[in-house]
C-alpha cells in the first residue's frame, strides 16, 4: 500500500487542481468518460505489468490491439461468423502470440525487446493486409455485443452516474491479477524470477514456463483490449488503431511502481498509474492546453514521477542501510 | 617500532558510517619494501581502511602520513598522484582494448591530438617486464587469463610510479600456477622497493608472503605478528579473539547405503572424461582440484543445471536424468552454488522468502495458493537452527554478511530435508566464525544420514572436513584418498596430475 501512496497522491493532486480550474471536470459525464478510458487502457496495462515484472518488455501490444480489433469485425461482418466464434478466435490469437513470444525469448534466448519489436511490425502489417486497409466496424449492428465496451451499469442509490462496463471489466481483471500475483505460488515465482532468474532456477522454479505464461497473459489481455477498443470505437482504421498503446501500458506500469529491471510491481499501482495518465489527458482538454502538447505533458509528468520515486527510494535505502548497520 | 621513518603511516583512523563505527582509532605503518598483510573477519574494517587509503572515502578523525609528512587524500586521483594504487578484487580493465591501451588509459601519449599507439606500446614493455609478463603490448585484453589481466593491472599501477600497492584478495580467482607467479611478482616488487598491503582470507598465502601481519577485529587493531612469529593458529586467534583449536572437529559416522552413484558421467566442460564415484548416506566427500578441474561443472550437472552428455546418475538407487534443478530437488538433491549472490540467493528478497522459495510448490495450498504460514514457520526454524544473524525474517538478504547469506542458502535446502547435499565452495568469502558453524552443520547433517559432496579450493577445509576426498585434474578424477591418507602433499600431487591412485571405498 505504501508503494502506491506517492502515485495516488499525484492522482488526487491532478484531480483537485483540474476541478478547481475547470468545474466541468466533476460533471458525471466527464468523470464517466475518464474512468471509461481508464478501464480500457487499464486492461492492457495489467497484462503488460506481468511481462515487466518478469523483467521483460512487450512492444507489440498496440499492434496486437490493431490486429485483433480488425479481425473481430472482419470475421463477424464480412465472413458472417457468430460473435462467440469470432471472440474465441481472437482469444486464441492472443494466447498464440504470447506463447510464440515466450518460446522465442526462453528457448531461443532472444531479447524480449527484439522479439516484440518484430511483433509490433508483423501484426500491424497483417492487420492492414487482411483488411486491405479498409476501415472496419459494426455499423448499427451487434448492439448487444458492443455493450461490453459501451454499456453502463447504474449504481444503487445514486442517480445520474453510471459505471461504464470497461471499468468493471478492468476491476474484475485487476482483482484476479492481484490475487494471482501475490497469493499464488505462480505469481510469486514471477516476482522471484524477475529479481534474479538464475537464483530462481537454482531454487527449482520453472523459470521458462513462468516467463512464457507472463507473455501469454500480456498478449491475451492485449487481445481483450483490442476487442473492447474495437467495440467502443466502431470505426477501426487498420493502419493506426492501437498505435502507441503499448507505451501507455508500459508508462502506467512504471508510474505504478513496476521496475523495468523486473521483480517489483503491484496491480493496484498499475491501475492508479493509468488513471493518472487518463486524467492528465482529460485535464489538457478541459484546461484548453494545446492538444499537440499531450505527449509532452504526459512525458514530463511521468519523468517527474519516476524521478521523485527513485530519489525517495534512494533516501529510504540509505536510511535503512544506516539503520541496519546500527 | 623501527628506526626508519615509515613510508606510509595511518594514525588514529576513525570512520563512522551512520549508526556504526567502521574504524576506531586504527593505526597502520608500512615500511619501504615491506609486504604488510592485513587480515580480519568480514566486517572487521579492512575494506574501509583500504578505501580511505585509495581516496574512495574520507576519514572522520585521524591522520595519514607519507614519508613522515601529513597528507590529505581527497580523491582516487589524489591517491594515485601520491603513488598509492589499489588493485581491486574485481579488476578495472577494459576487455575490448589492448594491453598498452589499458596501461595508459586516461594518460594516453598523444601525437597531433591522436593517440600515439606505438609509443604507448613501447612504454608498456618496461612495466610488463617488471611483472614478468612476456606478451605483446598489443594483445587484446580479452585474450588474457584472469591471472595475466591482474598482472596488467599491476603493471598499470607501476606505470604511475606507485610506491604503495594495495591488493585486495588478489588470488581469489587465480589458478595455483597463477598464484605462484603472482607471489614471485610480489617478491620482485618488494626487491625493487615497492611496499605492498596484502589483504587475504587465505592464511597460507599470508604466511608465504608477509613480512608483518596486522590484524583488525571489529574496526580496531587486534594485534600484529612479526615475520618469525606468523603461524596459522596465531592469526586465527587474533582474528576471532578466542581459541579455536576445535576448528575442524569431525566425527566420522558409520556410512549408510549409497545415496548418490555416478557412473561414466560426461559433462559439457570435459566431454571426453568419464566420472564414476559413489557417496553414501552419512558420508562427507570432498572434491579437491585446481581451478578449471571441472568441480563446479560436475556439481551443476548432478543438480540438473546442465544436462549430462552421457553416463548415469543414481539417487538412492534410482536412475535419474534431471533436465532442470527442480527435478533434482524433487529427488532430494540440493546444491549450494559457488556464486552465492547470483545463483544462491535473491538479494532483494527477504530472508524468509529466500528460505521458503524452493518449498513454495511443495507446500502450496489447494488451488496453487501460497502458504505464507508454512514459509514463516520454516524461516523461523532455520534462523534458529542455523543461528542466522538477522534483525528479523523480513530483512533483505542483501544486508546480511557473507556467512549469514550462506546460512540462508543452506536453510533453504534444509527446510526441504534433502538426502544428497552438494556444496560448491561452501565457505568462500566467509569469516572464520561462520566457517566453523558451517563445518559443524555439515558434521551434524552427516550424522543425520545426509550424503554430502562438497568442492573446495581451501586445502585446510578439504583435509579437515572430508571423510574421503576425490581429487580432480583436468576433468577427470585423478585419485581418491581416504581420511587416513589425507595430506596436503597427497592432494596436491593428484591435483597437479602427478600420479593416479585409487582407494577402495570406506
Amino acid at each position: 500500500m505504501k508503494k502506491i501512496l506517492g502515485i495516488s497522491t499525484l492522482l488526487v493532486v491532478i484531480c483537485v487542481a483540474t476541478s478547481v480550474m475547470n468545474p466541468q471536470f466533476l460533471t458525471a459525464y466527464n468523470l464517466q468518460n475518464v474512468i471509461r478510458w481508464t478501464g480500457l487502457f487499464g486492461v492492457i496495462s495489467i497484462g503488460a505489468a506481468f511481462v515487466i515484472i518478469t523483467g521483460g518488455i512487450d512492444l507489440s501490444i498496440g499492434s496486437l490491439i490493431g490486429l485483433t480489433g480488425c479481425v473481430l469485425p472482419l470475421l463477424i461482418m464480412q465472413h458472417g461468423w457468430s460473435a462467440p466464434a469470432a471472440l474465441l478466435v481472437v482469444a486464441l490469437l492472443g494466447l498464440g502470440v504470447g506463447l510464440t513470444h515466450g518460446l522465442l525469448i526462453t528457448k531461443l534466448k532472444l531479447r524480449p525487446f527484439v522479439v516484440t519489436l518484430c511483433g509490433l511490425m508483423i501484426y500491424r502489417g497483417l492487420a492492414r493486409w487482411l483488411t486491405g486497409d479498409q476501415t472496419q466496424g459494426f455499423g448499427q449492428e451487434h448492439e448487444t455485443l458492443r455493450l461490453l465496451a459501451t454499456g453502463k451499469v447504474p449504481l444503487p442509490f445514486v442517480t445520474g452516474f453510471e459505471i461504464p462496463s470497461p471499468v468493471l471489466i478492468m476491476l474484475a481483471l485487476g482483482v484476479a491479477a492481484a490475487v494471482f500475483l501475490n497469493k499464488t505460488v505462480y505469481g510469486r515465482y514471477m516476482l522471484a524470477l524477475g529479481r534474479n532468474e538464475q537464483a530462481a532456477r537454482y531454487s527449482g522454479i520453472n523459470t521458462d514456463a513462468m516467463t512464457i505464461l507472463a507473455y501469454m497473459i500480456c498478449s491475451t489481455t492485449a487481445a481483450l483490449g483490442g476487442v473492447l477498443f474495437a467495440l467502443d470505437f466502431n470505426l477501426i482504421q487498420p493502419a493506426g488503431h492501437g498505435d502507441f498503446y503499448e507505451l501507455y501500458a508500459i508508462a502506467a506500469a512504471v508510474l505504478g511502481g513496476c521496475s523495468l529491471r523486473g521483480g517489483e510491481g503491484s496491480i493496484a499501482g498499475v491501475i492508479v498509474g493509468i488513471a493518472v495518465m487518463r486524467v492528465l489527458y482529460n485535464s489538457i482538454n478541459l484546461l484548453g492546453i494545446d492538444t499537440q502538447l499531450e505527449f509532452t505533458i504526459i512525458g514530463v509528468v511521468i519523468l517527474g514521477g519516476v524521478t521523485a520515486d527513485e530519489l525517495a527510494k534512494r533516501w529510504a535505502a540509505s536510511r535503512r542501510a544506516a539503520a541496519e548497520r546500527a | 617500532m623501527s628506526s626508519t621513518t615509515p613510508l606510509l603511516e595511518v594514525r588514529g583512523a576513525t570512520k563512522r558510517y551512520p549508526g556504526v563505527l567502521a574504524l576506531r582509532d586504527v593505526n597502520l605503518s608500512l615500511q619501504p619494501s615491506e609486504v604488510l598483510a592485513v587480515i580480519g573477519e568480514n566486517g572487521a574494517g579492512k575494506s574501509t581502511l583500504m578505501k580511505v587509503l585509495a581516496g574512495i572515502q574520507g576519514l572522520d578523525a585521524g591522520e595519514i602520513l607519507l614519508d613522515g609528512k601529513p597528507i590529505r587524500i581527497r580523491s582516487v586521483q589524489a591517491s594515485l598522484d601520491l603513488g598509492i594504487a589499489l588493485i581491486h578484487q574485481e579488476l578495472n580493465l577494459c576487455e575490448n582494448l589492448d594491453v598498452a591501451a589499458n596501461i595508459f588509459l586516461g594518460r594516453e601519449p598523444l601525437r597531433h591530438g591522436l593517440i600515439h599507439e606505438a609509443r604507448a606500446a613501447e612504454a608498456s614493455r618496461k612495466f610488463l617486464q617488471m611483472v614478468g609478463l612476456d606478451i605483446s603490448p598489443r594483445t587484446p585484453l580479452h585474450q588474457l587469463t584472469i591471472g595475466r589481466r591482474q598482472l596488467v593491472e599491476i603493471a598499470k599501477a607501476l606505470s604511475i610510479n606507485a610506491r604503495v600497492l594495495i591488493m585486495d584478495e588478489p588470488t581469489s580467482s587465480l589458478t595455483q600456477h597463477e598464484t605462484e607467479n603472482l607471489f614471485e611478482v610480489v617478491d620482485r616488487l618488494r626487491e625493487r622497493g615497492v611496499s605492498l598491503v596484502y589483504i587475504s582470507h587465505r592464511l597460507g598465502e599470508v604466511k608465504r608472503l608477509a613480512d608483518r601481519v596486522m590484524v583488525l577485529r571489529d574496526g580496531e587493531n587486534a594485534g600484529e605478528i612479526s615475520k618469525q612469529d606468523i603461524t596459522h593458529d596465531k592469526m586465527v586467534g587474533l582474528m576471532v579473539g578466542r581459541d579455536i583449536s576445535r576448528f575442524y572437529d569431525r566425527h566420522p559416522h558409520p556410512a549408510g547405503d549409497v545415496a548418490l552413484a555416478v557412473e561414466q558421467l560426461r559433462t559439457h566442460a570435459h566431454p571426453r572424461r568419464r566420472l564414476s564415484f559413489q557417496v553414501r548416506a552419512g558420508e562427507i566427500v570432498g572434491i579437491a582440484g585446481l581451478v578449471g578441474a571441472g568441480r563446479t561443472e560436475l556439481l551443476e550437472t548432478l543438480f540438473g543445471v546442465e544436462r549430462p552428455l552421457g553416463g548415469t546418475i543414481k539417487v538412492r538407487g534410482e536412475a535419474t536424468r534431471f533436465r532442470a534443478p527442480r527435478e533434482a530437488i524433487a529427488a532430494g538433491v540440493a546444491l549450494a552454488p559457488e556464486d552465492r549472490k547470483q545463483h544462491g540467493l535473491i538479494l532483494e528478497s527477504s530472508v524468509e522468502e529466500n528460505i521458503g522459495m524452493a518449498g513454495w510448490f511443495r507446500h502450496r495450498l489447494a488451488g496453487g495458493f501460497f502458504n505464507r504460514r508454512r514459509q514463516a514457520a520454516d524461516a523461523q526454524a532455520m534462523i534458529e537452527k542455523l543461528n542466522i544473524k538477522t534483525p528479523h525474517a523480513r530483512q533483505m538478504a542483501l544486508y546480511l554478511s557473507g556467512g549469514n547469506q550462506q546460512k540462508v542458502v543452506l536453510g533453504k535446502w534444509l527446510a526441504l530435508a534433502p538426502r544428497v547435499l552438494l556444496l560448491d565452495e561452501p565457505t568462500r568469502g566467509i569469516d572464520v566464525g561462520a566457517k566453523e558453524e558451517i563445518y559443524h552443520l555439515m558434521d551434524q547433517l552427516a550424522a543425520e544420514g545426509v550424503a554430502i559432496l562438497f568442492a573446495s579450493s581451501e586445502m585446510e577445509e578439504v583435509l579437515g572436513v572430508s571423510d574421503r576426498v576425490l581429487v580432480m585434474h583436468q576433468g577427470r578424477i585423478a585419485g581418491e584418498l581416504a581420511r587416513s591418507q589425507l595430506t596436503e602433499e597427497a592432494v596436491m600431487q593428484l591435483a597437479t596430475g602427478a600420479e593416479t591412485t585409487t582407494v577402495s571405498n570406506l
Side-chain angles (χ1 to χ4, degrees):
Chain A
M1 272 300 114
K2 219 158 101 191
K3 278 180 191 160
I4 65 166
L5 203 64
I7 179 78
S8 303
T9 312
L10 181 64
L11 178 62
V12 171
V13 168
I14 298 172
C15 287
V16 170
T18 312
S19 52
V20 167
M21 287 190 269
N22 189 341
Q24 284 280 310
F25 179 76
L26 286 178
T27 59
Y29 173 79
N30 186 60
L31 283 181
Q32 280 174 17
N33 201 27
V34 171
I35 63 172
R36 187 173 57 91
W37 281 109
T38 302
L40 288 168
F41 278 98
V43 166
I44 59 170
S45 304
I46 289 167
F50 279 90
V51 161
I52 290 170
I53 280 167
T54 62
I57 194 92
D58 191 343
L59 300 176
S60 71
I61 294 170
S63 291
L64 191 57
I65 287 169
L67 179 60
T68 51
C70 290
V71 166
L72 186 74
L74 196 70
L75 289 178
I76 293 177
M77 302 303 289
Q78 291 188 21
H79 297 279
W81 287 40
S82 72
L87 286 172
L88 184 68
V89 166
V90 168
L92 290 175
L93 188 63
L95 285 167
V97 163
L99 179 66
T100 311
H101 290 170
L103 286 173
L104 289 170
I105 288 160
T106 56
K107 302 300 178 193
L108 286 185
K109 311 255 175 262
L110 300 183
R111 296 255 147 216
F113 190 98
V114 175
V115 170
T116 59
L117 180 67
C118 294
L120 177 152
M121 297 189 264
I122 293 167
Y123 313 138
R124 177 64 60 196
L126 281 177
R128 297 182 61 178
W129 175 68
L130 284 172
T131 56
D133 251 347
Q134 296 297 307
T135 301
Q136 303 292 308
F138 303 92
Q140 299 303 312
E141 298 169 51
H142 298 283
E143 284 297 332
T144 359
L145 180 60
R146 289 195 53 219
L147 281 178
L148 261 182
T150 58
K152 291 194 177 76
V153 180
L155 284 170
F157 314 120
V158 180
T159 46
F161 188 84
E162 296 174 316
I163 303 285
S165 51
V167 177
L168 297 174
I169 292 173
M170 175 193 73
L171 289 177
L173 191 67
V175 169
V179 168
F180 178 81
L181 188 63
N182 299 305
K183 300 287 178 195
T184 72
V185 296
Y186 310 103
R188 299 185 77 88
Y189 281 169
M190 288 182 188
L191 286 161
L193 85 90
R195 284 181 188 164
N196 183 339
E197 186 174 349
Q198 283 300 320
R201 185 166 130 79
Y202 274 72
S203 297
I205 293 172
N206 192 343
T207 48
D208 282 2
M210 289 301 123
T211 305
I212 293 169
L213 182 59
Y215 281 93
M216 289 176 73
I217 291 172
C218 181
S219 294
T220 308
T221 57
L224 172 62
V227 168
L228 294 177
F229 279 116
L231 295 174
D232 182 71
F233 288 11
N234 206 11
L235 278 176
I236 300 122
Q237 278 156 349
H241 183 69
D243 242 5
F244 287 127
Y245 283 11
E246 62 277 346
L247 299 185
Y248 282 101
I250 293 164
V254 171
L255 259 181
C258 292
S259 163
L260 283 182
R261 280 181 312 243
E264 242 180 274
S266 76
I267 300 299
V270 173
I271 291 175
V272 179
I274 197 70
V276 165
M277 292 206 292
R278 292 320 309 179
V279 171
L280 210 55
Y281 180 79
N282 186 239
S283 311
I284 292 167
N285 280 314
L286 288 181
L287 302 182
I289 301 169
D290 278 339
T291 46
Q292 287 97 327
L293 277 174
E294 175 202 340
F295 276 120
T296 307
I297 290 168
I298 293 178
V300 167
V301 169
I302 294 174
L303 202 56
V306 295
T307 307
D309 185 53
E310 185 63 38
L311 293 177
K313 240 187 268 170
R314 275 190 210 174
W315 183 72
S318 69
R319 288 242 324 203
R320 192 170 40 197
E324 300 308 343
R325 280 202 221 95
Chain B
M1 213 178 339
S2 166
S3 55
T4 54
T5 320
L7 171 63
L8 181 72
E9 200 176 357
V10 176
R11 288 185 192 158
T14 300
K15 174 76 189 174
R16 182 184 293 277
Y17 291 116
V20 72
L21 207 51
L23 293 177
R24 183 185 311 184
D25 202 17
V26 169
N27 299 313
L28 172 153
S29 76
L30 182 66
Q31 303 294 330
S33 297
E34 184 185 37
V35 176
L36 172 70
V38 178
I39 61 173
E41 295 193 329
N42 291 339
K46 292 168 299 186
S47 314
T48 308
L49 186 57
M50 297 314 130
K51 282 180 186 163
V52 167
L53 291 176
I56 299 166
Q57 253 153 20
L59 278 177
D60 295 330
E63 55 177 352
I64 304 172
L65 297 91
L66 192 68
D67 297 319
K69 289 188 231 46
I71 51 164
R72 304 270 330 235
I73 305 176
R74 287 203 177 82
S75 67
V76 176
Q77 193 53 49
S79 165
L80 291 173
D81 290 344
L82 291 164
I84 303 171
L86 172 67
I87 313 278
H88 278 279
Q89 213 166 344
E90 286 91 27
L91 302 176
N92 284 316
L93 296 169
C94 304
E95 285 188 25
N96 53 334
L97 300 179
D98 67 17
V99 169
N102 268 293
I103 289 178
F104 287 102
L105 195 67
R107 299 172 293 126
E108 293 83 358
L110 299 179
R111 183 174 56 183
H112 312 310
L114 299 174
I115 297 175
H116 195 333
E117 293 196 9
R119 210 166 82 206
E122 197 44 50
S124 301
R125 268 182 230 284
K126 184 173 79 180
F127 303 113
L128 291 177
Q129 216 171 19
M130 282 160 78
V131 297
L133 256 188
D134 186 24
I135 52 170
S136 158
R138 292 291 181 82
T139 316
L141 199 80
H142 64 82
Q143 289 182 6
L144 301 182
T145 60
I146 300 285
R148 291 186 150 197
R149 289 183 201 185
Q150 193 170 49
L151 295 176
V152 171
E153 182 117 62
I154 296 172
K156 180 177 171 179
L158 296 176
S159 76
I160 59 153
N161 294 317
R163 301 160 68 199
V164 178
L165 263 186
I166 305 170
M167 302 177 108
D168 188 5
E169 297 274 353
T171 59
S172 58
S173 43
L174 299 192
T175 65
Q176 192 75 24
H177 180 73
E178 289 172 328
T179 302
E180 278 304 323
N181 189 32
L182 179 74
F183 292 168
E184 282 167 30
V185 171
V186 167
D187 287 337
R188 223 175 307 154
L189 291 176
R190 169 164 43 191
E191 279 161 32
R192 296 186 71 103
V194 177
S195 300
L196 288 105
V197 179
Y198 192 92
I199 303 172
S200 182
H201 271 112
R202 299 187 177 177
L203 301 182
E205 294 176 3
V206 170
K207 207 174 157 189
R208 153 81 174 77
L209 286 176
D211 295 314
R212 197 154 48 90
V213 176
M214 168 183 165
V215 187
L216 287 176
R217 185 172 69 229
D218 300 331
E220 294 181 78
N221 288 89
E224 271 194 21
I225 312 170
S226 47
K227 186 161 182 74
Q228 62 275 14
D229 299 329
I230 300 175
T231 63
H232 190 274
D233 287 349
K234 206 157 194 172
M235 288 191 279
V236 173
L238 283 175
M239 276 161 73
V240 298
R242 63 198 146 103
D243 183 25
I244 54 156
S245 51
R246 294 177 59 253
F247 195 37
Y248 302 108
D249 192 12
R250 268 292 281 130
H251 315 89
H253 312 288
D257 295 337
V258 174
L260 176 71
V262 174
E263 273 162 50
Q264 305 284 315
L265 184 73
R266 294 192 300 131
T267 67
H268 282 272
H270 298 276
R272 283 156 60 196
R273 305 293 196 187
R274 292 167 193 277
L275 301 167
S276 302
F277 62 90
Q278 297 184 339
V279 184
R280 292 171 177 276
E283 229 188 346
I284 300 181
V285 176
I287 309 175
L290 305 177
V291 171
R295 295 169 299 172
T296 295
E297 292 79 2
L298 168 60
L299 292 179
E300 296 207 322
T301 306
L302 294 176
F303 189 54
V305 176
E306 296 264 355
R307 294 195 203 185
L309 292 177
T312 58
I313 302 170
K314 282 186 188 164
V315 177
R316 298 208 287 166
E318 255 181 73
T320 58
R321 206 153 250 283
F322 303 138
R323 284 167 298 169
R326 65 178 184 281
E327 297 182 353
I329 295 164
V333 180
L335 168 70
E338 180 181 23
D339 189 343
R340 197 177 308 137
K341 293 180 179 184
Q342 270 304 311
H343 300 150
L345 289 167
I346 299 183
L347 291 173
E348 294 84 18
S349 289
S350 65
V351 168
E352 180 177 309
E353 198 159 308
N354 271 294
I355 292 176
M357 191 164 49
W360 282 346
F361 193 72
R362 189 177 295 184
H363 303 313
R364 73 190 183 282
L365 303 171
F369 283 93
F370 167 59
N371 191 341
R372 181 180 292 281
R373 225 179 261 171
R374 173 74 195 226
Q375 170 168 292
D378 280 349
Q380 204 48 49
M382 286 306 146
I383 287 171
E384 280 160 28
K385 182 181 164 92
L386 304 180
N387 186 28
I388 298 172
K389 293 193 188 80
T390 176
H392 44 83
R394 297 288 174 87
Q395 175 79 324
M396 264 198 222
L398 180 67
Y399 297 120
L400 266 51
S401 70
N404 284 304
Q405 287 181 344
Q406 182 72 325
K407 288 186 197 169
V408 170
V409 176
L410 293 172
K412 168 167 74 181
W413 298 128
L414 297 193
L416 296 179
R419 303 314 304 168
V420 176
L421 183 59
L422 311 172
L423 306 167
D424 198 354
E425 301 288 355
T427 66
R428 172 168 289 177
I430 287 178
D431 61 55
V432 178
K435 267 187 189 179
E436 198 183 0
E437 288 180 75
I438 286 172
Y439 298 144
H440 183 71
L441 179 71
M442 288 166 71
D443 191 46
Q444 195 186 330
L445 289 170
E448 290 166 13
V450 178
I452 299 177
L453 180 65
F454 79 102
S456 175
S457 299
E458 286 192 42
M459 188 65 84
E460 294 149 341
E461 188 167 296
V462 169
L463 298 181
V465 182
S466 317
D467 291 323
R468 192 154 57 87
V469 173
L470 307 170
V471 186
M472 291 188 71
H473 174 67
Q474 292 180 354
R476 70 192 168 87
I477 295 177
E480 190 180 317
L481 298 165
R483 188 162 177 85
S484 57
Q485 301 166 299
L486 277 178
T487 63
E488 187 162 351
E489 293 71 36
V491 173
M492 277 323 291
Q493 283 214 326
L494 290 170
T496 51
E499 77 181 82
T500 304
T501 333
T502 340
V503 179
S504 59
N505 284 1
L506 288 172

